[in-house]
Amino acid sequence: DAGVTQSPTHLIKTRGQQVTLRCSPKSGHDTVSWYQQALGQGPQFIFQYYEEEERQRGNFPDRFSGHQFPNYSSELNVNALLLGDSALYLCASSYQNRAHGYTFGSGTRLTVV
Amino acid sequence: RKEVEQDPGPFNVPEGATVAFNCTYSNSASQSFFWYRQDCRKEPKLLMSVYSSGNEDGRFTAQLNRASQYISLLIRDSKLSDSATYLCVVNSPNQAGTALIFGKGTTLSVSS
């Protein structure tokens, strides 16, 4: 049973660059949520995708955008990277936009230099 | 006010101790409540859901007080393997979705 898969696992980018992170949900799941976790902090909600639409968004600037594909996989794009964007980016999948049954991927560790 | 606030840590306890974590949430419309566990440099994993009547899973007991918007987690007979960060989580419902909102987390260190 495939869990949530995220790629890449690690990434180093320069300030001002753009980055795309990818997530494949757990088999049977159709909802994808993205979180940013800075060191020593809890995961901060970025946005949630269901039926290829952004359903909810946290307090993140427009530099953060996303997409969900027909196969339920998702991408997170961050433009004009700042040093403060350095964090672990977590993807979680669930079924039909429900709060129960979230499964997290291992995350992508982004370092902005 | 943050949506989910937790006790500041860290908690350092000996094996066998009982430890309690507290959490408050601000959105009275929240309907789903959880405790997640996160080991160092790993992803969060569900520890247990929290129900209005309170619920127990082995050495772990969770309580919910909707009137006070307060959630707690009690760990009895702490084990070394309980060392981790415990995250209080509530859902943030709106008409379009139901995202999970995490607290900052409380770190527990159990020593022998």
Side-chain angles (χ1 to χ4, degrees), chain A residues 32-49:
Chain A
V32 174
S33 303
W34 285 93
Y35 291 83
Q36 179 196 67
Q37 187 172 25
L39 204 59
Q41 302 293 318
Q44 297 294 305
F45 174 66
I46 302 175
F47 41 55
Q48 182 181 72
Y49 278 85

Side-chain angles (χ1 to χ4, degrees), chain A residues 5-74:
Chain A
T5 304
Q6 291 189 244
S7 63
T9 54
H10 295 83
L11 201 52
I12 299 176
K13 289 287 191 178
T14 304
R15 273 179 300 176
Q17 285 189 313
Q18 179 265 342
V19 67
T20 297
L21 310 182
R22 295 177 177 82
C23 172
S24 293
K26 180 179 176 180
S27 178
H29 284 184
D30 55 13
T31 305
V32 174
S33 303
W34 285 93
Y35 291 83
Q36 179 196 67
Q37 187 172 25
L39 204 59
Q41 302 293 318
Q44 297 294 305
F45 174 66
I46 302 175
F47 41 55
Q48 182 181 72
Y49 278 85
Y50 174 59
E51 295 183 329
E52 301 180 51
E53 292 185 10
E54 184 183 289
R55 298 292 178 153
Q56 275 185 282
R57 188 180 183 90
N59 189 26
F60 277 80
D62 291 345
R63 297 186 298 110
F64 290 77
S65 63
H67 189 77
Q68 185 178 35
F69 299 94
N71 67 352
Y72 310 124
S73 67
S74 177

